[in-house]
Amino acid sequence: MNSQIPSDNQRRLVWMAFSALALAALAGVTVGAVWGLGKVLGLLAPVLWPLAVAGVLAYLLDPVVDWIEKRDVPRTRAILLVFFVAAGMLLAVLASIVPRVVVETSQLAGKAQEMSGQFQTRVESLVTNPPPFVKKILPLLLPEPPRTPEGGTPAPAAQMDKETLASVSKVLTSTLPSVGSWIGNQFGKALSLFGIFAGLALIPVYAFYFLMEKRGITDHWTSYLPLRDSHLKDELAFSLKAVNDQLIAFFRGQVLVAICDAVLYTIGFLAIGLNYAFLLGFVAVFLTMIPFIGAFVVVSSALVLAFVQHGDLLHPALVLAVFGVVQALEGFIIQPKIMGDRMRLHPLAIIIAVMVGTTLLGGLLGGILAIPMAAALRVLMFRYVWKKSET
């Protein structure tokens, strides 16, 4: 007998087992590295966030500086000119919007408990006395309710769901005070911590040197890698460049998209007569940097505020209309013009990346950083894993 030991099937099985073990180990190392990175970022946040903001600012202003420099203006003067114009525009925006945002935030925090009670009362009133069109639709949507013990006519469907909807309203309204108090606490901390103002003062300094030393950084940054000239160093340089390119594409595009969305939301909410429109627009600048999820949070908050303020279904419907218009403008005009297809991520991949980022890195920053990191991972996977077979 010349039976081969191990057989081909056994070799295949062993190879698959080792491959699965290697993939599990790689996944564990990746999760551990991301978790450790989140811890390090948390410890070094006071030092790193001014550098991060300055880097994003440099990403945004660099094309304008390059455009001015091409007009035979020295780069230093071009940077100072852009800084002067940007500072003027920023001060004008802050002077006109921030005081209104602070006032609306304090009002929302002060009226949170009252609005919570109003929301629950309005929901109970709506359930007890639904609009005529709701009365016509409910029998078609809900199953036939059980008859009373005496064999009389069935109880109205709206009355049967009163307790359920009331419990849902309690859950929704319980979040309103916490959201208002959280916003108030964050503003209080922002105004009380001296380190934040010191970091803000350093942002333009960092951004100036990032813009000033752009060519030196882009031309010679590989010289600072702690490796000898080799194939490994070239591959590490490629990987870092892929990450950097995705960060540039994301922040240069998504920040502008978020600002456009925030302006449109503010205009739309003001047009339908919604209170706290400036506060919602200000929050939207940061939240809509996370696609899908940020917009959902903004419109959900607007729906609750519209229902509490007006107590009808028309204004929540108008909020949904504003949301639909903004999303249509973003999807068909704003995002294609600003970002194009540079990120090349499927919407499902973006949602998964955001969930993973907020879990491992934590908070809004983790959700924002997860998207360009996922895009960079896609580039690396296509280079090293998903290679096309050579024929």
Side-chain angles (χ1 to χ4, degrees), residues 101 146 150 297 378:
V101 171
E150 293 78 9
V297 174
R378 177 184 179 275

Side-chain angles (χ1 to χ4, degrees), residues 14 38-39 44-45 51 68 73 129 145 162 166 190-191 195-196 202 204 215 225-226 279 296 311 316 341 354 371 383:
V14 171
K39 293 295 183 182
L44 300 180
L51 286 170
I68 297 177
V73 178
N129 300 306
K162 180 179 179 181
L191 295 176
I196 291 181
L202 290 173
R215 289 187 176 85
L225 294 177
L279 176 59
F296 175 77
D341 60 347
V354 169
I371 300 172
R383 182 173 178 87

Side-chain angles (χ1 to χ4, degrees), residues 54-339:
V56 174
L57 187 63
Y59 285 153
L60 295 176
L61 298 182
D62 180 63
V64 183
V65 174
D66 289 343
W67 182 82
I68 297 177
E69 189 181 13
K70 290 179 181 178
R71 271 65 184 171
D72 297 328
V73 178
R75 188 166 183 83
T76 303
R77 294 182 182 178
I79 295 173
L80 293 176
L81 177 61
V82 171
F83 270 32
F84 178 78
V85 175
M89 296 174 61
L90 180 62
L91 289 176
V93 171
L94 292 179
S96 58
I97 294 180
V98 170
R100 183 69 177 270
V101 171
V102 173
V103 170
E104 291 186 356
T105 302
S106 61
Q107 290 177 351
L108 180 60
K111 296 181 179 179
Q113 293 291 345
E114 178 184 353
M115 294 175 66
S116 176
Q118 290 179 352
F119 182 80
Q120 184 173 349
T121 302
R122 293 187 187 281
V123 170
E124 293 177 352
S125 175
L126 182 64
V127 172
T128 306
N129 300 306
F133 74 92
V134 175
K135 293 180 180 180
K136 296 179 180 179
I137 295 176
L138 277 178
L140 302 177
L141 300 179
L142 298 176
E144 184 180 354
R147 295 183 178 274
T148 60
E150 293 78 9
T153 57
Q159 186 66 27
M160 286 186 58
D161 285 354
K162 180 179 179 181
E163 295 182 0
T164 303
L165 294 178
S167 62
V168 173
S169 69
K170 290 180 180 179
V171 174
L172 292 175
T173 55
S174 63
T175 62
L176 193 59
S178 60
V179 171
S181 61
W182 180 85
I183 295 175
N185 291 335
Q186 296 305 313
F187 272 92
K189 292 178 181 179
L191 295 176
S192 62
L193 295 178
F194 173 78
I196 291 181
F197 292 102
L200 290 174
L202 290 173
I203 288 174
V205 178
Y206 292 149
F208 176 83
Y209 283 106
F210 285 155
L211 291 169
M212 193 67 191
E213 302 298 329
K214 170 195 170 182
R215 289 187 176 85
I217 294 173
T218 54
D219 294 340
H220 305 291
W221 69 273
T222 56
S223 302
Y224 298 97
L225 294 177
L227 293 173
R228 296 179 180 179
D229 292 337
S230 61
H231 178 70
L232 176 61
K233 183 176 181 178
D234 294 338
E235 293 301 317
L236 179 60
F238 170 83
S239 301
L240 294 177
K241 186 176 183 301
V243 173
N244 182 68
D245 290 344
Q246 295 301 326
L247 288 173
I248 292 175
F250 176 78
F251 284 109
R252 189 176 287 172
Q254 193 63 33
V255 169
L256 296 178
V257 172
I259 293 174
C260 293
D261 285 351
V263 172
L264 292 174
Y265 278 125
T266 304
I267 295 174
F269 293 154
L270 286 174
I272 65 175
L274 182 64
N275 292 337
Y276 311 109
F278 283 96
L279 176 59
L280 290 170
F282 181 78
V283 173
V285 174
F286 306 99
L287 292 181
T288 53
M289 288 179 62
I290 304 178
F292 307 120
I293 297 178
F296 175 77
V297 174
V298 171
V299 74
S300 299
S301 303
L303 285 172
V304 174
L305 292 174
F307 185 69
V308 172
Q309 179 182 344
H310 298 280
D312 56 15
L313 297 179
L314 173 62
H315 287 83
L318 292 176
V319 169
L320 292 177
V322 171
F323 172 74
V325 171
V326 173
Q327 290 302 303
L329 292 175
E330 176 191 334
F332 293 103
I333 299 177
I334 299 174
Q335 200 164 39
K337 292 292 184 181
I338 295 178
M339 295 189 67

